[in-house]
Amino acid sequence: MLDKLNRKIDYLRISVIDRCNLRCVYCMPEEGIESIPHDEILTYDEILRICEIVSELGIRKIKITGGEPLVRKDIVNLIRDIKNIDKIEQVTLTTNGILLHEMLDDLYDAGIDAINISLDTLNKDNFKKITRRDGLEKVLMSIDKAYDLGIRVKINCLAIRDFNLSELVEIASFAKDREIDVRFIELMPIGFGKKYNQIDNDEILSILESRFGTFEIVTEKRGNGPAKYYRNQNMKGCIGFISAISHEFCESCNRIRLTSSGFLKLCLHYNKGIDLKEPIRNGISDEDLKKLIHDTIWNKPISHKFGHASEEQDIELKNMVQIGG
């Protein structure tokens, strides 16, 4: 469907759980955060009902996120069921990769279209410093196995000057000999992320060009979201940049988010949206639910205001793990 600015909204990110098996410093405190009681998160039947309805409104691509989505029981069955919805064209997954290796065969059989794996460092000690957990070897095994199975793999690297500036070339090298896209994501000033210093994606591109040579922009569409991709003649994969701060992409934003508690969220920067869980559990009809979702998406905000002083009362105060990555 189109919103009031004529943007085509065809991409829904669904957070299935607010729990995570890592404690990344830019996401939550070491002791974690208080999780939503299990009976307050959407059931799989409720998620499937929403997916069916939004597919009638033009949503064609679903991303499963968390927290860490793979910690939720029977997540593979949910992915399989969403894949079976007629009008849904793609179901993809974002994960930290810790549990992925042991679940990859089942995910492949369920028809997963692509997997984004978060990886901010290739140094074991730095991995533990950032995530407050061990597990780098498991993540690397997951990347290798997913690629060997023929699943489309993307690596998401959150570029943080405090932690991984010196490792960006090494991380980018995942795209050198395999058709794996590496995407560098600018840190957004949400929750604990406000404590750290982002690396502008223009600076990253300059660093990579000093090592690999000139990059040329990719004109064909390569993903579902706002990443801008570049190709280098010495690489089989591409390098992508998600530049929410330095190169705002709000005018072409095609996404909405559903939190694990059932809140349909229109923009990361704002708490604007609507609760779907309460009307669903109070017996709303499919027709009325469809209208409720349609009218909410219609009013998607014009743009975020990251980096700008604001006194608005509807700025998002939750952490990313509570929103959905």
Side-chain angles (χ1 to χ4, degrees):
M1 66 166 285
L2 301 178
D3 68 3
K4 63 185 177 184
L5 297 176
N6 258 0
R7 292 174 294 194
K8 183 179 180 181
I9 311 302
D10 62 358
Y11 180 24
L12 172 63
R13 297 176 66 95
I14 301 175
S15 171
V16 296
I17 195 165
D18 66 336
R19 293 170 172 81
C20 187
N21 49 354
L22 298 181
R23 293 291 181 271
C24 295
V25 296
Y26 50 74
C27 189
M28 67 175 82
E30 187 168 5
E31 66 275 13
I33 61 172
E34 185 177 356
S35 297
I36 303 168
H38 188 72
D39 60 356
E40 290 300 316
I41 65 174
L42 291 176
T43 67
Y44 284 169
D45 284 343
E46 290 167 340
I47 292 173
L48 284 169
R49 184 182 178 195
I50 292 170
C51 287
E52 290 271 10
I53 288 173
V54 297
S55 74
E56 296 296 324
L57 291 170
I59 295 295
R60 296 291 176 261
K61 303 147 192 171
I62 302 287
K63 172 79 74 181
I64 302 298
T65 75
E68 170 49 47
L70 298 186
V71 305
R72 185 162 177 183
K73 187 178 179 181
D74 294 329
I75 186 65
V76 175
N77 289 330
L78 175 67
I79 290 170
R80 181 180 289 107
D81 289 342
I82 296 175
K83 278 286 294 182
N84 287 331
I85 296 174
D86 284 343
K87 294 183 180 181
I88 298 300
E89 298 171 358
Q90 291 185 21
V91 180
T92 59
L93 171 74
T94 291
T95 172
N96 61 35
I98 299 293
L99 300 175
L100 180 59
H101 186 270
E102 61 195 66
M103 302 176 71
L104 270 168
D105 290 326
D106 291 336
L107 285 165
Y108 179 83
D109 290 341
I112 195 74
D113 290 291
I115 299 176
N116 294 353
I117 302 173
S118 299
L119 182 63
D120 301 330
T121 177
L122 292 171
N123 179 282
K124 184 176 180 180
D125 292 335
N126 202 22
F127 185 91
K128 190 169 184 178
K129 182 179 179 182
I130 294 172
T131 68
R132 302 189 180 102
R133 298 288 189 272
D134 289 316
L136 177 60
E137 297 87 353
K138 292 181 179 179
V139 179
L140 297 177
M141 287 172 56
S142 295
I143 293 171
D144 290 342
K145 183 173 180 179
Y147 185 80
D148 290 342
L149 282 171
I151 299 172
R152 185 159 51 94
V153 177
K154 294 180 181 178
I155 292 174
N156 286 345
C157 176
L158 197 59
I160 308 173
R161 193 173 301 276
D162 312 71
F163 291 110
N164 59 6
L165 176 61
S166 64
E167 295 189 64
L168 301 182
V169 167
E170 187 178 9
I171 293 170
S173 294
F174 269 95
K176 188 174 186 301
D177 298 318
R178 293 184 287 184
E179 292 181 5
I180 292 177
D181 290 349
V182 177
R183 298 161 359 137
F184 293 100
I185 303 172
E186 285 184 344
L187 179 68
M188 287 182 282
I190 293 178
F192 291 93
K194 296 175 182 177
K195 297 169 57 177
Y196 300 101
N197 299 302
Q198 68 161 20
I199 307 173
D200 188 297
N201 281 340
D202 289 337
E203 180 180 352
I204 298 174
L205 182 59
S206 177
I207 292 171
L208 298 186
E209 288 194 322
S210 68
R211 170 62 179 82
F212 298 108
T214 302
F215 283 79
E216 296 181 353
I217 194 163
V218 175
T219 55
E220 68 268 18
K221 189 167 178 58
R222 198 168 178 89
N224 297 331
K228 182 178 290 187
Y229 289 92
Y230 291 80
R231 183 176 283 115
N232 179 283
Q233 63 178 359
N234 298 312
M235 289 183 166
K236 290 185 176 181
C238 290
I239 300 297
F241 296 100
I242 301 177
S243 313
I245 308 301
S246 63
H247 297 283
E248 180 184 304
F249 45 76
C250 299
E251 65 181 17
S252 61
C253 183
N254 65 336
R255 68 179 62 185
I256 53 175
R257 297 170 182 263
L258 181 67
T259 71
S260 59
S261 61
F263 189 77
L264 187 65
K265 185 174 175 60
L266 305 175
C267 173
L268 264 180
H269 193 205
Y270 300 103
N271 58 22
K272 290 179 178 178
I274 196 164
D275 173 51
L276 298 181
K277 179 179 65 184
E278 183 176 357
I280 286 174
R281 295 186 178 179
N282 285 337
I284 190 171
S285 68
D286 284 353
E287 182 179 350
D288 288 343
L289 182 57
K290 183 177 179 179
K291 184 178 187 306
L292 181 64
I293 293 172
H294 175 280
D295 293 349
T296 301
I297 295 174
W298 175 258
N299 289 305
K300 181 177 168 65
I302 296 174
S303 68
H304 67 66
K305 296 296 181 184
F306 291 129
H308 302 281
S310 177
E311 297 180 357
E312 295 185 64
Q313 300 301 306
D314 51 7
I315 299 302
E316 182 59 77
L317 299 177
K318 292 188 173 85
N319 297 307
M320 281 300 294
V321 72
Q322 297 168 301
I323 299 168

